[in-house]
Amino acid sequence: MTDATKGEAPEVSYASEADRTDPLVQLSLEQLRRRTSLKWRTHPADVLPLWVAEMDVPLAPPVAEALRTAIDLGDTGYPYGSAYAEALAGFAAERWRWDGLRVEHTAIVPDVMLGVVEVLRLVTGPGDAVVVCSPVYPPFYAFVAHDAREVVEARLGPDLRVDLAALEDAFVRARRDGRRAAFLMSNPHNPTGVVHTRQELEAVAALAREHGVRVVSDEIHAPLVLPGAVFTPFLSVPGAENAFALVSASKAWNLAGLKAALAVAGSEAAAELRMLPEEVGHGPSHLGVIAHTAAFRAGGGWLDELLLGLDANRRLLGRLLDEHLPDVRYQRPEGTYLAWLDCTWLGLHDERQGTEGPGVVSDLAGPARMFLDEARVALSSGHVFGSGGEGHVRLNFATSPAVLREAVTGMGRAVRALRQ
């Protein structure tokens, strides 16, 4: 086994780009443009889509085989059983050295964000507060606000890591007048790619306990930790026994269209999870459960190859930015396949833009609008990620080196033209 069994991504790398055999180099742009998903149909055909979190990879063979078997059998009914949770528990023990995931403390939910909403309903009510560390994944705002909870922001620090002083201040504001409150955490953090350390998570757990705040950890990117970082499940740290986590294979194995996720409760929260309405478990797809189970159970080898490719792309992106966009401020992500690019120096951001507010993913402004119009590269607009996102863009580097090179080169040309 690789070092991934210790919670770390494999430390090996490709000698050169020509040697790469990972999933990110297996599909041509022509093949990708035949796809009908959101990523490939939102923009015209001359646009390179590096925005939404879909990867340009073929399906992992163990997942494809499991789905083919189900289709051949006509096994397309309702989901049943605990195989998904058992597969995740095995994956967690092997990859993260965490043997504390109890199958009886899990529940199948339609997807991570719908699971987040249902778990938040267990520990908060209408008018209560949900703390988020901004800038953060836009649906955190939309789903929480649409469920009549108030979003309270705790800005990340200048190093893009959790600022404990800001978090404590947010906890105090969230708990005012005796309101119940929860902290919705992104672990690893989207969009910055920061992987929280065990020490950071222990501090978060202690702070949440002190202020009576319940933690809900979105760990959808957990398998996507790159060399140099180690993923720590939040429920594995002391003080997190009353917390919840949401996990799925959708990001790491590109299964967003195959709906299924797991809500996992700490030992003190297990009774609350059992209060989840029965109908919530009717939402996941049986084929989704089959696919996610196969990914966690048998997709480790494919994942290792993907992580090698993502690490190679992460390094390539750094070189391309140095060459074509040297003024971009970019902190190399430790996990995910997302790069958070500070383009405030362009002077294109305006806090009045995006008047619909954070979380409205369709709203494009500032540098993201310029790069789409002038470079024909689609990126996620930073302002929808909340406070601190203005003037930034999020770039999805889970694509081929050729597409990444073409995109960043075009972005550089657009900036040079803008400055003339």
Side-chain angles (χ1 to χ4, degrees), residues 113-401:
M113 279 312 304
L114 290 177
V116 162
V117 170
E118 293 296 340
V119 168
L120 287 174
R121 287 175 177 171
L122 297 176
V123 296
T124 65
D128 288 335
V130 177
V131 175
V132 302
C133 283
S134 64
V136 73
Y137 182 50
F140 278 19
Y141 294 92
F143 279 68
V144 169
H146 291 167
D147 207 40
R149 272 71 170 166
E150 178 190 348
V151 177
V152 176
E153 291 184 320
R155 286 278 296 271
L156 296 173
D159 58 357
L160 302 182
R161 307 196 77 88
V162 172
D163 182 329
L164 292 174
L167 188 62
E168 182 167 26
D169 177 71
F171 284 177
V172 170
R173 287 183 283 125
R175 291 281 287 150
R176 73 171 188 268
D177 301 324
R179 292 189 300 179
R180 290 183 295 174
F183 172 36
L184 178 53
M185 178 171 58
S186 182
N187 178 35
H189 195 86
N190 174 4
T192 63
V194 164
V195 176
H196 308 303
T197 66
R198 175 170 290 277
Q199 291 73 22
E200 287 171 326
L201 294 176
E202 288 174 350
V204 167
L207 206 59
R209 285 277 187 175
E210 179 183 347
H211 290 277
V213 174
R214 303 296 293 278
V215 179
V216 179
S217 184
D218 173 355
E219 301 186 351
I220 197 169
H221 288 279
L224 293 169
V225 171
L226 302 175
V230 176
F231 174 71
T232 302
F234 184 69
L235 296 182
S236 72
V237 305
E241 294 82 5
N242 68 344
F244 298 87
L246 280 300
V247 189
S248 88
S250 64
K251 295 305 181 207
W253 285 271
N254 214 42
L255 304 177
L258 291 162
K259 293 286 190 178
L262 286 167
V264 186
S267 58
E268 295 175 15
E272 289 168 302
L273 188 62
R274 288 194 290 271
M275 296 170 62
L276 207 65
E278 180 188 354
E279 59 268 21
V280 173
H282 298 172
S285 157
H286 182 44
L287 290 179
V289 171
I290 288 171
H292 290 248
T293 301
F296 280 124
R297 180 173 288 160
W302 185 91
L303 176 64
D304 285 343
E305 288 295 317
L306 172 69
L307 293 174
L308 289 176
L310 290 175
D311 182 40
N313 275 10
R314 176 177 62 167
R315 288 183 276 112
L316 173 61
L317 177 60
R319 295 194 298 271
L320 291 170
L321 291 173
D322 286 343
E323 180 179 356
H324 299 286
L325 290 165
D327 292 323
V328 161
R329 288 186 287 274
Y330 159 68
Q331 184 169 300
R332 194 175 82 154
E334 300 170 314
T336 79
Y337 45 75
L338 306 168
W340 187 236
L341 308 183
D342 182 348
C343 303
T344 52
W345 53 275
L346 285 171
L348 296 175
H349 62 292
D350 184 337
E351 292 184 2
R352 294 171 297 174
Q353 292 177 317
T355 54
E356 294 178 79
V360 184
V361 181
S362 62
D363 194 14
L364 203 61
R369 169 56 63 186
M370 186 275 290
F371 286 129
L372 178 62
D373 292 343
E374 305 301 328
R376 309 307 286 161
V377 177
L379 306 169
S380 297
S381 188
H383 75 281
V384 301
F385 293 82
S387 297
E390 300 86 356
H392 292 68
V393 295
R394 191 190 73 175
L395 182 151
N396 174 354
F397 58 87
T399 187
S400 70

